[in-house]
Amino acid sequence: MKLLMIAFKNLKRRKLRSLFTIGGVAIAVAVLVSLLGFSAGYKKALTNDIDKMGYQVLVTAKGCPYEAATLMLKGGGGLRYMEQDVYNGIVSDERIDKATPQLIHTVYDPDRLDGRGGFALYVGIMKSHLELKPWTKFKSGKWFTKDDADEVIMGFEAAELEQRSVGDKIFIPGIEKILTVVGIFERTGTQDDGVIFLPLKSAQQLFDLKDKISGIGIKLKNIEELGQFEEDMYEVPGTQVISMAQVKGTFLNLVSSAKVLVTSVAIIAVFVAAIGVVNTILMSVFERTQEIGVMKAIGASKLDIFRLIWMETILVCTLGGIAGNIGALLGGSIVERVVKGLLPYAPEGQIVLITPTALLTSLIGAIILGLVAGIYPAYRASSMRPIEAIRSGE
Amino acid sequence: MSDAIINAQKLKKVYELPAEKIVALDEIDVGIRKGEFVAIMGPSGAGKTTLLNLIGCLDGPTAGSLNVLDHNLSQLKERQLVLLRRGNIGFVFQDFFLVSSLTALENVELPLVFARMQHKNGKAADLLDKVGLSHRLNHRPFELSGGEMQRVAIARALSTSPQILLADEPSGNLDMKNARSIFDLFRRFNEEEGVTVLVATHNARLAHTADRVIHLADGKIESEEVLKNG
């Protein structure tokens, strides 16, 4: 027989009370697991929503217009470039999930717009462009055959405007170069629809901009690091950082609100559970005053009694933790429905994501709760003087 | 007494209550030899329980000296007192004080758990066999009669093979038949195992089964009767 067995048997002695206390801990743990699951799931679901928006940060050469409308207002001019080495330097940053360089160039075409003339927007890209804009699908054709191929892929509107299809040849006035259309993208509803894409290397050669790029689209692994990342990017000379400020703000607000909510509710739940555990164990200690006195008389030391009562508390909390985990797993879908009904904006997909980490964290939390909550009752029990404790029942 | 394993000189215990001071033991001299079976008699409040509690290291004297197994108790720290009690002294109480959540066997094993002697768990069953309860090993206290509970308590007190057994009114809650069988057990363990037994009792007939009877009254030794010379 071991102390643990004695502790367990003592809990069994007052089954109903022990069950209520375990239930209290289980509810707190289930709330904690659900909230942790919500925090993780909500973040993931929101991140997925953000992912659909493409890159979160655009690093461009200082003063360079980065939006097609601005570019056109500037008469297709005013473009500035930075060295491709900047991309090579940035891409190794561990915070970056994906990055893609691009080279923007405008060419005036007098035949454009039914002979009224206009600027055609050419963008040199790498295949990572598709990873950052995964919604970009081919309407027809495919990706470039080589990194420096004399080929283009046309945005949906650009192809419509010029009545192009795969296999057609296009002529770039001023450059005096003929390129083959190898693909046409589907409509994306973004400014990419009016762009003519070509391999980055080909663009650098054609427009005589060797090792130059206009900007780098960046997606971070953890969007919460966006603020610090932006700060760091400002340090890179000759560049400017354009972030999706509104999206970032909204996202960070939502995640922060969720975190505050989760933390507050979890703290309250754990606090209430801790009070319940302390109360139950303390009551049990007072009821067993005489028994504790006798245990001391038959050889138990202060430490033995402390360990015994501490074990009881830890047992209650551990069992509560296990029950809470099971409860959270079984009730996850209900919580999901309730939370989705309550949230003003619920992202798509699962927003209560109960992960093994959340389960383990909560179980460890419950054990720590037991360790802390057990200290006072265990101390009270171990401090009892045997004689007084034995006499207490007289 | 040169061969005494318990030796008290001018032992005094005063309980200071808010309203009064109670002198439970008033400078008594007591010597108990190894292997002796001693009964302590006296009316309620005579100091019997106090004397047993002091000898059992459960309480400290107000004045005087008390040596148990060559240890001057007033010089020992709490931890040392626990170790002395744990390894050498067994207790039997009037109200049995068995742990209700544990079986008879587990109750007897309990001191072995505290003494880190779980490897001797087999001894618990042997002891229960010796006290005639081999058929009650897995019964919980509420399933046992008063006499059976006290026999479990005796087995528990002896599980760590103590040299001294202290019993405070062990027959107080038992009928005469059970009380007699409890004293028979004390005598048996005293003779067969050499355990020194000190029993506080009101019952004169039972007390006279001991080797010696010490009569206490108002905290003082009133008289002594030697019934059997060791």
Side-chain angles (χ1 to χ4, degrees):
Chain A
M1 191 172 58
K2 295 208 158 94
L3 270 186
L4 186 65
M5 178 59 73
I6 302 170
F8 181 70
K9 289 205 165 195
N10 186 57
L11 290 177
K12 269 176 69 184
R13 178 157 38 174
R14 306 235 190 285
K15 283 194 188 79
L16 202 60
R17 188 199 292 168
S18 299
L19 280 175
F20 273 123
T21 315
I22 289 169
V25 176
I27 290 170
V29 168
V31 168
L32 192 63
V33 172
S34 301
L35 290 174
L36 285 173
F38 168 68
S39 184
Y42 192 50
K43 189 174 162 188
K44 193 175 175 193
L46 276 174
T47 308
N48 282 341
D49 275 10
I50 298 278
D51 277 350
K52 290 178 187 165
M53 297 176 192
Y55 43 73
Q56 303 143 349
V57 188
L58 183 64
V59 177
T60 67
K62 203 163 229 162
C64 180
Y66 52 89
E67 199 206 359
T70 320
L71 201 57
M72 295 308 150
L73 279 173
K74 289 193 172 192
L79 283 164
R80 292 173 195 277
Y81 303 101
M82 56 186 173
E83 295 298 322
Q84 195 167 338
D85 283 349
V86 176
Y87 166 73
N88 299 333
I90 288 174
V91 82
S92 59
D93 192 311
E94 285 190 350
R95 291 170 293 182
I96 292 177
D97 180 24
K98 293 182 182 96
T100 189
Q102 58 187 38
L103 174 64
I104 302 172
H105 197 76
T106 53
V107 175
Y108 185 74
D109 184 352
D111 295 332
R112 209 172 156 89
L113 303 173
D114 297 329
R116 283 179 283 131
F119 285 96
L121 188 60
Y122 289 86
V123 178
I125 54 173
M126 290 172 76
K127 198 148 191 181
S128 49
H129 174 90
L130 292 181
E131 290 173 16
L132 275 154
K133 298 189 175 182
W135 61 89
T136 305
K137 307 283 181 213
F138 281 95
K139 180 173 170 260
S140 58
K142 54 183 173 50
W143 189 253
F144 310 115
T145 53
K146 282 193 298 179
D147 283 352
D148 56 354
D150 291 333
E151 295 168 346
V152 296
I153 297 171
M154 300 187 78
F156 184 85
E157 278 175 21
E160 287 272 294
L161 191 70
E162 297 190 22
Q163 295 291 303
R164 302 290 186 187
S165 55
V166 173
D168 286 359
K169 305 284 183 190
I170 63 166
F171 177 71
I172 306 179
I175 307 289
E176 310 304 326
K177 187 85 183 174
I178 295 171
L179 305 171
T180 307
V181 179
V182 293
I184 294 168
F185 287 137
E186 279 182 6
R187 187 189 291 278
T188 62
T190 66
Q191 62 184 30
D192 286 356
D193 288 348
V195 172
I196 300 167
F197 297 97
L198 62 165
L200 179 64
K201 264 191 184 171
S202 306
Q204 287 170 334
Q205 285 165 8
L206 280 177
F207 304 125
D208 199 18
L209 292 164
K210 193 169 184 303
D211 294 332
K212 302 279 185 192
I213 53 173
S214 317
I216 307 159
I218 294 167
K219 179 173 172 286
L220 298 178
K221 285 175 187 159
N222 184 357
I223 196 166
E224 286 172 86
E225 292 175 337
L226 189 56
Q228 186 57 47
F229 183 77
E230 273 183 52
E231 290 284 320
D232 296 346
M233 283 302 105
Y234 282 122
E235 303 296 318
V236 180
T239 64
Q240 61 183 358
V241 182
I242 300 114
S243 72
M244 303 173 76
Q246 196 183 349
V247 173
K248 177 188 75 177
T250 309
F251 179 87
L252 291 182
N253 279 342
L254 285 170
V255 171
S256 317
S257 307
K259 275 197 167 169
V260 170
L261 177 80
V262 165
T263 313
S264 321
V265 178
I267 286 172
I268 293 168
V270 169
F271 186 70
V272 170
I275 298 274
V277 171
V278 172
N279 183 44
T280 304
I281 301 293
L282 208 52
M283 203 188 298
S284 160
V285 164
F286 290 144
E287 282 172 2
R288 286 185 293 154
T289 299
Q290 211 167 32
E291 187 178 297
I292 290 165
V294 172
M295 283 185 176
K296 285 192 160 188
I298 63 172
S301 64
K302 267 187 171 186
L303 186 64
D304 290 328
I305 299 296
F306 189 95
R307 283 172 59 209
L308 180 65
I309 305 299
W310 216 20
M311 271 180 200
E312 284 179 24
T313 323
I314 294 163
L315 255 176
V316 164
C317 291
T318 307
L319 292 173
I322 293 167
N325 275 349
I326 294 169
L329 282 171
L330 296 177
S333 58
I334 299 167
V335 176
E336 170 106 23
R337 273 203 297 277
V338 172
V339 171
K340 274 196 168 174
L342 291 173
L343 282 179
Y345 166 69
E348 283 182 24
Q350 199 179 355
I351 60 168
V352 179
L353 190 66
I354 295 173
T355 59
T357 313
L359 293 172
L360 194 66
T361 306
S362 303
L363 186 61
I364 292 171
I367 295 169
I368 292 171
L369 172 74
L371 288 169
V372 175
I375 290 174
Y376 181 65
Y379 169 75
R380 283 295 297 259
S382 66
S383 308
M384 286 177 182
R385 297 190 60 217
I387 274 296
E388 286 160 15
I390 292 169
R391 280 193 190 139
S392 68
E394 289 173 2
Chain B
M1 201 180 282
S2 59
D3 56 345
I5 61 167
I6 299 166
N7 198 356
Q9 299 287 323
K10 293 198 177 299
L11 190 64
K12 185 169 186 172
K13 180 68 187 178
V14 179
Y15 293 107
E16 294 198 22
L17 304 180
E20 57 178 336
K21 281 185 181 179
I22 295 173
V23 181
L25 288 177
D26 193 6
E27 298 191 346
I28 63 166
D29 296 332
V30 179
I32 311 287
R33 284 193 304 274
K34 185 172 166 57
E36 240 190 324
F37 180 179
V38 178
I40 303 165
M41 279 200 70
S44 291
K48 306 184 295 289
T49 302
T50 301
L51 179 60
L52 292 186
N53 288 341
L54 293 178
I55 293 170
C57 317
L58 293 178
D59 209 352
T62 308
S65 77
L66 176 60
N67 277 278
V68 175
L69 296 164
D70 294 329
H71 295 279
N72 184 345
L73 297 192
S74 50
Q75 288 178 355
L76 297 185
K77 291 183 177 156
E78 190 184 330
R79 176 75 188 154
Q80 293 168 311
L81 289 170
V82 170
L83 292 177
L84 179 66
R85 183 166 68 230
R86 182 187 281 171
N88 302 289
I89 301 167
F91 273 97
V92 178
F93 303 93
Q94 179 177 351
D95 294 322
F96 328 127
F97 290 140
L98 300 179
V99 179
S100 61
S101 55
L102 304 179
T103 63
L105 184 66
E106 288 165 343
N107 265 288
V108 179
E109 286 173 354
L110 199 53
L112 296 170
V113 174
F114 296 135
R116 280 72 173 159
M117 291 162 67
Q118 284 98 325
H119 58 283
K120 289 191 177 173
N121 272 356
K123 196 179 176 198
D126 287 347
L127 278 166
L128 282 170
D129 187 32
K130 281 184 181 170
V131 299
L133 289 175
S134 54
H135 60 299
R136 296 288 209 187
L137 299 185
N138 296 312
H139 285 68
R140 304 249 310 266
F142 66 86
E143 297 168 313
L144 303 173
S145 69
E148 286 173 328
M149 281 198 271
Q150 196 58 296
R151 279 188 277 164
V152 174
I154 292 169
R156 178 179 69 181
L158 295 168
S159 63
T160 53
S161 308
Q163 297 187 56
I164 301 166
L165 180 69
L166 303 175
D168 189 8
E169 302 280 2
S171 57
N173 285 337
L174 303 176
D175 57 40
M176 195 55 204
K177 187 182 164 206
N178 273 309
R180 192 181 295 280
S181 76
I182 293 300
F183 271 71
D184 287 346
L185 278 175
F186 288 149
R187 170 58 74 189
R188 197 171 129 205
F189 284 110
N190 168 253
E191 288 179 350
E192 291 178 7
E193 319 270 337
V195 180
T196 305
V197 181
L198 255 84
V199 187
T201 181
H202 278 110
N203 191 312
R205 279 174 66 187
L206 293 172
H208 284 83
T209 63
D211 300 340
R212 183 155 59 110
V213 182
I214 298 172
H215 292 270
L216 281 181
D218 297 327
K220 291 178 186 284
I221 294 179
E222 203 175 47
S223 63
E224 276 193 54
E225 293 174 77
V226 178
L227 305 167
K228 180 185 165 191
N229 287 312

